[in-house]
Amino acid sequence: MIKDEYYQKLAGEIGEEVVMKVIEQLKLPYKFYAFHNLSLNGESLFQMDILIITPYYALIFEVKNINGEITFTEQQMQRKLESNKTHSYESPVLQLAEYEFQLNQIFKDSGIILPIYGALVFAFATSNIKVPPTNKTLLFRRGIKPYIRNIQTNSPILNEAELDNLKEYILKANIEFHPFPISNYYEIDLNDIQKGVECIHCGLIGMKKLPQNWFCPRCKIFHRKAHEQTMEEYFLIYKSTISNIECQHFLQLNNKHQATRILKNSMLIKTGQSRNTKYSAIFPK
């Protein structure tokens, strides 16, 4: 399930980058700003693939990169592949409507009265839309520029200074998304995660710590830094902080002195003193 979601997110990011390149090429007779992967806290936390703000309107794009035959129903989006295998997804139409509502609430709370439009964008022509949504604009990549150019603009609602202030407000309000450790994100019981250092040669989880080395009882190799990969995986999967006792437990060490040497030699951030000492790591967003 995690692997499937990873590939879905990867495909989604590729689609969003393609759409952003189209927007970067866009020339309009008025100033605008485009944001990618924007997370704001309204009624709840929500993430927009692409948000465009202008003096006349705001525009949300929900981007999809899904191949196959696509059918929209009132509550779902369904995909059928050439193999006749089908998949069902939550309706991006309802998702987009929720984003429009929440963004409108944020604008109202800030005293901004700006029309909000929304559209579904399919990044590639490998998506064959059999039944389109009945109540939401659907675009392919080449339809993005004409759609934006045709949005009605009469008198500007925001002047240039107000637009710049809105941009700064959005940037400050943006909440960076951090899925790590994934045990929290996927609600994985920590007791279900196997402990021990993995052999980089044969994959055995359970290398033995020697005074200056790690030893694999299966393939008989020695490796001085075998624990480094396991330490990285601890922060990605298990917990966001580690103590000496937790280090002993997770790496299956013999004593606290081994853990102390590993923690001191790692690129970690130390907080607290004595028994309250914790270590954390910084990972990419």
Side-chain angles (χ1 to χ4, degrees), residues 7-285:
Y7 287 122
Q8 287 176 22
K9 288 183 181 296
L10 185 62
E13 288 176 4
I14 292 170
E16 291 163 23
E17 288 170 5
V18 166
V19 172
M20 280 300 293
K21 285 180 181 178
V22 173
I23 295 171
E24 287 167 5
Q25 299 165 359
L26 182 65
K27 303 295 182 184
L28 293 173
Y30 47 84
K31 191 174 184 178
F32 70 94
Y33 293 105
F35 306 86
H36 180 208
N37 272 342
L38 188 68
S39 294
L40 300 177
N41 203 355
E43 195 175 75
S44 60
L45 186 65
F46 65 105
Q47 184 181 42
M48 295 171 283
D49 292 340
I50 294 172
L51 171 67
I52 298 173
I53 58 169
T54 78
Y56 303 90
Y57 61 86
L59 173 61
I60 303 171
F61 280 155
E62 177 65 20
V63 182
K64 296 298 176 187
N65 177 13
I66 303 175
N67 63 341
E69 186 179 86
I70 308 297
T71 298
F72 284 88
T73 66
E74 187 176 340
Q75 297 290 327
Q76 287 186 321
M77 179 179 71
Q78 298 172 342
R79 184 265 296 270
K80 183 179 180 182
L81 298 172
E82 290 183 0
S83 62
N84 286 327
K85 189 174 183 180
T86 61
H87 301 89
S88 294
Y89 305 89
E90 291 185 1
S91 170
V93 175
L94 299 178
Q95 190 177 19
L96 186 53
E98 178 65 16
Y99 297 164
E100 292 172 19
F101 173 83
Q102 294 227 41
L103 184 62
N104 187 53
Q105 292 299 114
I106 291 174
F107 282 179
K108 280 185 177 180
D109 292 342
S110 304
I112 298 167
I113 303 172
L114 200 62
I116 299 172
Y117 302 100
L120 299 178
V121 180
F122 283 82
F124 299 103
T126 50
S127 303
N128 175 22
I129 311 300
K130 182 181 179 183
V131 179
T134 57
N135 57 348
K136 185 56 65 178
T137 300
L138 187 148
L139 304 170
F140 278 93
R141 185 175 24 163
R142 295 194 182 279
I144 293 171
K145 289 181 182 180
Y147 172 76
I148 295 176
R149 291 184 187 121
N150 288 328
I151 294 177
Q152 290 295 316
T153 54
N154 297 316
S155 298
I157 298 169
L158 303 178
N159 59 38
E160 189 168 312
E162 289 170 333
L163 182 65
D164 290 342
N165 287 338
L166 178 57
K167 177 204 69 171
E168 293 301 325
Y169 172 81
I170 289 172
L171 289 175
K172 289 179 181 177
N174 181 44
I175 300 170
E176 296 288 353
F177 174 66
H178 296 282
F180 307 117
I182 65 170
S183 59
N184 288 344
Y185 185 71
Y186 290 104
E187 298 182 350
I188 299 170
D189 189 328
L190 296 183
N191 293 321
D192 291 337
I193 298 175
Q194 191 170 351
K195 316 302 186 295
V197 172
E198 181 179 3
C199 175
I200 60 173
H201 184 259
C202 73
L204 173 75
I205 298 178
M207 293 187 79
K208 305 299 181 184
K209 185 71 177 76
L210 302 179
Q212 300 296 328
N213 255 313
W214 290 90
F215 172 70
C216 177
R218 178 194 283 167
C219 66
K220 313 301 182 186
I221 71 156
F222 294 88
H223 196 290
R224 289 192 65 184
K225 297 183 178 180
H227 63 277
E228 289 183 351
Q229 177 178 310
T230 302
M231 284 292 290
E232 181 176 346
E233 290 170 351
Y234 174 95
F235 292 107
L236 292 174
I237 299 170
Y238 199 74
K239 288 181 70 178
S240 58
T241 63
I242 190 169
S243 65
N244 188 292
I245 292 175
E246 288 169 333
C247 183
Q248 294 176 59
H249 177 60
F250 197 78
L251 301 185
Q252 301 290 279
L253 298 171
N254 300 316
N255 55 65
K256 67 177 182 180
H257 303 295
Q258 291 176 339
T260 298
R261 284 191 289 271
I262 287 173
L263 292 170
K264 282 185 176 179
N265 291 332
S266 300
M267 298 296 291
L268 301 175
I269 300 171
K270 179 182 175 182
T271 57
Q273 297 292 329
S274 189
R275 293 183 180 181
N276 296 321
T277 300
K278 298 271 187 183
Y279 299 83
S280 59
I282 298 177
F283 288 100
K285 297 171 185 177

